[in-house]
Amino acid sequence: MSTTTQNSNPAATRIAWGSRWSFLLAAAGASTGLGNIWKFPYEAGLHGGGTFILVYLPCALLVAFPLMMAETLVGRYGGSDPVNSLRRIAREERLSSLWQSIGWLGLLTGFLIFTFYSVVASWTLYYIMNSALGSFVGVPAEIVQHSFGALLRNTDQMLLWHTIFVLMVVVVLTRGLNKGLERAMRMLTPCFLGLIIWLCLYASRIGDFDAALAFLMHYDLSAITAELIVSALTQALFSLSLGMGAMVMFGAYMRDQRSIASTTAWVMLFDTAVALIMALMIFSIVFAFGMRPDAGPGLIFSTLPVAFAQMTESSALWSTSFFVLLLSATLTSAFALLEPIIAWMTNSWRISRRLAAWLVGALAWVGGLLSLYSFSGLKFSFYYFGIERHHGFFDLLNIIAIHLFMPLGALLLAVFVTWRVHRAETKTLLSMRLNIGYRLWRFCCKIVAPLALSAVIILVLFFPA
Ligand code: PFF
């Protein structure tokens, strides 16, 4: 592993990315994942296409982007995993060591999201396998469509793929930053880009681009509800991998004094472009085959294979390519979800990285079982605000980790960086050329993001859907 000294951190002899481009590749790889290919299209489909995008874009620009800069800044300043970075900054700034709880919350959120992520990854692996074997070719639409429901009830299949996915992630992470995570990101991110171009060419040939474009551009201001705003804002945080310490970790691995603003701006643009392109591609296939855009979480799993199955030419090839694309994006994000926990364990417990990766992997495997079995009856009933609710662990994780912990972690971090850390320090660390840029960032992080995130937390806690 390469090490380097960083001037903003006195104690730092630290592990770092091997090249200037690695931060960009890794951050782009971590941010493009299920959020872009699976969640963004189905959320847009459920919330009227263009209406969702109209709310999503300001959330990404005014809340998520400034927060991404803030998280990277914390990593650069603290130079370590989220918990130790925050502890070190709190010490330097003479603040309470309680601020390190933001790091703890981030680790917990990342872990919970991983368990949920690995279940969706298990569906992806199942579809890769069946597409490659041509199992859907020429099969009637209703049967293909029902295959998703059947998979959800088939815990043995999901268990097998979930186990394989966790193993894939752990094996890469045991190999260390430069030889494991960085090398995997360098291979997978270009593959991912190549597959996107290939699939877009395909969609433009067989899909209904005009209908998809019309759907994604049509908006209705009266359809903007509090629930839509919560979905759009949490989607922006999720998509840019915020509120979980991942960007703190990546910022800590940043070797040079590259501009945080321009690097994170590229990541945000890339992430948003991928989400929009994927939505365009998926809806053009959905509309061309007369299917509904509001199918919810099953959108890409229950509708796309139907479309692929109806194609006469190279159906298996296209379908396999799509799910391989999804898998490569899922893997790069999954590495980023577990990396902060592994780094924290090696830093704090002084154990080897290999042991830390296997321990976290084993725990994540067990955690994933709870989500996995929620589709075959492992559900909880409880009363909240006088209404009886019946949720599986998978739905609860969505509510607790994505709608509550993630905004809370992001809110606390924004408050910490702008209200508690000295202004001069953040100014030096961001080293933005234009003072107006710095002021805008500070305003968004200090006022806009805390207000928006507090509103989300209040809505989720006190006005549940
Ligand atoms: N940004 C990822 C996605 O859009 O699927 C999700 C994610 C990955 C969140 C890694 C957090 C993280 F650390």
Side-chain angles (χ1 to χ4, degrees), residues 30-31 33-36 117 238-239 241 244 246 333 336-337:
S31 35
L34 289 174
N36 307 64
Y117 227 76
F238 183 74
S239 196
S241 313
M244 277 162 265
S333 296
L337 284 165

Side-chain angles (χ1 to χ4, degrees), residues 29-37 110 113 117 235 237-242 244-247 271 329-330 332-338 340 406:
S31 35
T32 44
L34 289 174
N36 307 64
I37 306 175
I113 290 184
Y117 227 76
Q235 170 61 21
L237 298 183
F238 183 74
S239 196
L240 287 172
S241 313
L242 301 170
M244 277 162 265
M247 294 311 297
D271 183 78
T330 307
T332 49
S333 296
F335 301 144
L337 284 165
L338 294 191
M406 201 177 61

